[in-house]
Amino acid sequence: MREDYIYINKKLYYSTVLAVIIMMVAGLLIDNPQLERVSAGYFFHFILVIVASVCLLLYPKYLTRSFRIILTIVASVYFYTLFFLYPDTWSTFIFLCFVPAVAILFFDAKIFYFSLLLNNVCIILIFVYIGLFDQGYLQVYLKRDLIGNVINFIGSQAIICFIFYISYGRIEKQQLYYEQIQQAERLKTTGQLAAAVAHEIRNPLTVVKGFLQLYEKNILPSDQSQKRHFSLMIEELNTAEEVVSQLLSIAKPSKDTEVEIVDVRAALQSVTELLHSYGLLNENKIEINKVEACYIAANNMEIKQLLVNIIKNAIEASKTGDSVTLTAKRKKDFVEIKVMDQGRGMSAEEIKSLGTPFYSLKSKGTGLGMMICYNIAAKYKGSIDFQSSKDKGTTVTISFPEQKL
Ligand code: ADP
Ligand code: MG
């Protein structure tokens, strides 16, 4: 479902961009007054159409803030060029009023205010120039009713700010809601794992307690044995400590989601250790098989959360005694992680529903795990694919762009 969603958006984006490019080229070629005598201005317009088209086409590949700022500046330069180059086309002034509307689409407050400020400074300079120096030579219609046009411009900026305020507020709320759901799902997962982990911690505690009881009763073994006992106790406590810290590593609140270099092998190892006791509840083993040294640029905790969700699903789908197998390898410029189970499998219809909020076939499921996984994968330009057949098992392929060291 999530894949379809991205697909439709991309299709919509590229068809809109294609329409925009066609309109820009049409403006360049059809009935253009500059065509009578090709000037430097026309050449500049031509170059700008190419630059703007390339930027729009490349944008989905570089969803970075710097690229958004570049797009905002290119759009401003493009519309201001049209304004100066075609003074008889009065509608170019409308474009100038709505230049910051381009920045609204990025839902980034800083870029929007930057674009608004830039546009206002440029417009003030234009009005001053027209009022004091131009004398109606360049923009006759603006000069004729300067005050009216200034009021129109202020009105348009107010409308843009209002639209931005409403849409940005909504997006922020949605983001907050998503973060809360992610946190709630994490707590639920942690709660489920905690029961299994508690079981795991009981063994080391029993061992340590047993030794301490011996010492309490003054049954003092030889020096040699004492040393061995202490190192055994420390070893057991280390195991318990490790299990607890693994559990905490996915339970932390999602505030610090900075991008770091994630060692895939270490992440798989750590998640496997964490889920080891959960698997034991139904005698399911998690086997790490063929894992190459590979790295991805993402947030460590989010990648762990994604792996925990998917491996936990695999365990829950498995029959008693079956194993879940993990592999990781580099493939072209991507890191490909596979999670394989021989469990209940899914029909094509069920696979389509994955990622839909609250879709779950389990009595105690939340149906949020896969939605969160798809979101995390999309955030780091990764993908999750399912291959499954009913009652035979499922292979989940998670792929992320490789981070070369
Ligand atoms: P939850 O685990 O809380 O039910 P998820 O979003 O993690 O929610 O999973 C949604 C549903 O997808 C599960 O209820 C299950 O029916 C199905 N599913 C996910 N992974 C597998 C798998 N490896 N094998 C079979 N079914 C799966
Ligand atoms: Mg799940």
Side-chain angles (χ1 to χ4, degrees):
M1 181 238 155
R2 180 78 202 172
E3 298 276 294
D4 283 352
Y5 173 73
I6 290 171
Y7 179 64
I8 290 168
N9 266 306
K10 273 204 171 158
K11 226 163 90 173
L12 188 68
Y13 177 81
Y14 282 116
S15 20
T16 312
V17 162
L18 197 67
V20 171
I21 292 177
I22 290 173
M23 281 190 277
M24 288 197 295
V25 173
L28 199 61
L29 298 179
I30 300 173
D31 203 20
N32 189 321
Q34 295 270 342
L35 267 179
E36 290 161 13
R37 185 170 50 86
V38 175
S39 61
Y42 184 79
F43 184 67
F44 190 58
H45 182 184
F46 176 76
I47 297 287
L48 271 175
V49 169
I50 294 177
V51 171
S53 307
V54 170
C55 284
L56 286 172
L57 290 171
L58 286 184
Y59 176 57
K61 284 208 176 70
Y62 304 94
L63 296 167
T64 57
R65 177 176 255 183
S66 358
F67 204 85
R68 287 177 184 147
I69 294 174
I70 291 175
L71 256 178
T72 312
I73 294 174
V74 168
S76 304
V77 175
Y78 179 74
F79 289 125
Y80 276 90
T81 305
L82 292 189
F83 177 77
F84 280 112
L85 220 50
Y86 307 100
D88 296 330
T89 317
W90 63 269
S91 51
T92 49
F93 178 63
I94 299 179
F95 283 136
L96 294 199
C97 293
F98 289 96
V99 165
V102 176
I104 291 183
L105 301 174
F106 300 136
F107 298 112
D108 183 323
K110 279 192 186 143
I111 296 183
F112 174 73
Y113 293 130
F114 162 72
S115 173
L116 195 71
L117 187 73
L118 183 71
N119 200 39
N120 276 270
V121 170
C122 292
I123 282 281
I124 289 170
L125 290 178
I126 283 177
F127 279 134
V128 170
Y129 173 73
I130 288 173
L132 297 183
F133 307 108
D134 187 54
Q135 302 302 328
Y137 165 72
L138 184 62
Q139 304 285 350
V140 187
Y141 62 94
L142 280 187
K143 170 81 179 167
R144 225 177 268 157
D145 182 11
L146 204 58
I147 301 294
N149 278 309
V150 169
I151 294 173
N152 281 351
F153 177 75
I154 296 172
S156 69
Q157 301 307 286
I159 292 173
I160 287 180
C161 285
F162 181 68
I163 296 175
F164 175 74
Y165 180 73
I166 298 275
S167 50
Y168 186 65
R170 218 170 251 190
I171 291 281
E172 265 199 327
K173 258 190 215 152
Q174 220 167 333
Q175 182 68 22
L176 191 69
Y177 174 66
Y178 168 68
E179 270 166 23
Q180 282 169 348
I181 283 189
Q182 190 173 14
Q183 184 64 9
E185 169 69 8
R186 186 145 51 202
L187 286 180
K188 167 118 189 174
T189 311
T190 320
Q192 286 172 341
L193 296 184
V197 164
H199 187 76
E200 185 100 327
I201 292 173
R202 206 162 44 191
N203 288 340
L205 288 185
T206 318
V207 173
V208 175
K209 198 171 147 196
F211 280 127
L212 289 179
Q213 277 168 341
L214 276 184
Y215 286 87
E216 192 190 22
K217 286 181 189 149
N218 279 332
I219 307 173
L220 287 178
S222 66
D223 272 2
Q224 198 79 55
S225 310
Q226 266 189 42
K227 253 202 175 142
R228 207 164 42 82
H229 289 174
F230 279 120
S231 62
L232 258 174
M233 280 194 269
I234 289 171
E235 216 172 273
E236 293 291 324
L237 287 176
N238 276 342
T239 312
E241 193 185 16
E242 184 63 21
V243 172
V244 171
S245 52
Q246 294 291 356
L247 188 66
L248 287 178
S249 79
I250 71 146
K252 270 191 238 149
S254 60
K255 273 278 162 260
D256 46 351
T257 55
E258 63 192 57
V259 176
E260 44 206 348
I261 293 177
V262 180
D263 179 344
V264 174
R265 191 159 33 183
L268 281 173
Q269 200 90 43
S270 142
V271 170
T272 307
E273 277 167 31
L274 175 65
L275 286 165
H276 171 75
S277 35
Y278 189 70
L280 286 186
L281 296 179
N282 271 318
E283 293 166 41
N284 298 124
K285 258 204 242 148
I286 309 168
E287 285 169 3
I288 300 189
N289 210 343
K290 286 189 264 172
V291 171
E292 289 178 11
C294 42
Y295 303 87
I296 52 185
N299 177 263
N300 211 348
M301 205 172 64
E302 285 187 316
I303 294 300
K304 276 190 192 169
Q305 192 184 6
L306 177 144
L307 292 171
V308 165
N309 278 335
I310 291 176
I311 300 171
K312 195 165 149 282
N313 277 347
I315 293 174
E316 285 160 355
S318 293
K319 296 179 282 292
T320 309
D322 280 352
S323 298
V324 171
T325 315
L326 312 179
T327 65
K329 62 173 182 196
R330 289 188 302 261
K331 196 173 174 187
K332 286 184 192 153
D333 289 334
F334 284 82
V335 170
E336 206 177 73
I337 305 165
K338 285 191 194 242
V339 178
M340 290 167 277
D341 68 66
Q342 298 127 43
R344 53 177 290 274
M346 282 176 282
S347 65
E349 209 51 39
E350 284 171 43
I351 294 179
K352 261 194 190 160
S353 305
L354 289 173
T356 311
F358 310 112
Y359 168 77
S360 175
L361 296 180
K362 297 169 197 164
S363 55
K364 283 187 185 154
T366 58
L368 294 172
M370 281 319 302
M371 183 196 81
I372 288 164
C373 291
Y374 280 126
N375 271 299
I376 295 174
K379 187 168 168 186
Y380 301 109
K381 301 198 182 96
S383 65
I384 305 173
D385 284 307
F386 282 82
Q387 266 183 315
S388 187
S389 60
K390 230 31 199 156
D391 298 319
K392 290 222 176 85
T394 305
T395 298
V396 190
T397 309
I398 309 152
S399 106
F400 280 102
E402 188 194 357
Q403 171 73 42
K404 295 207 169 70
L405 288 189

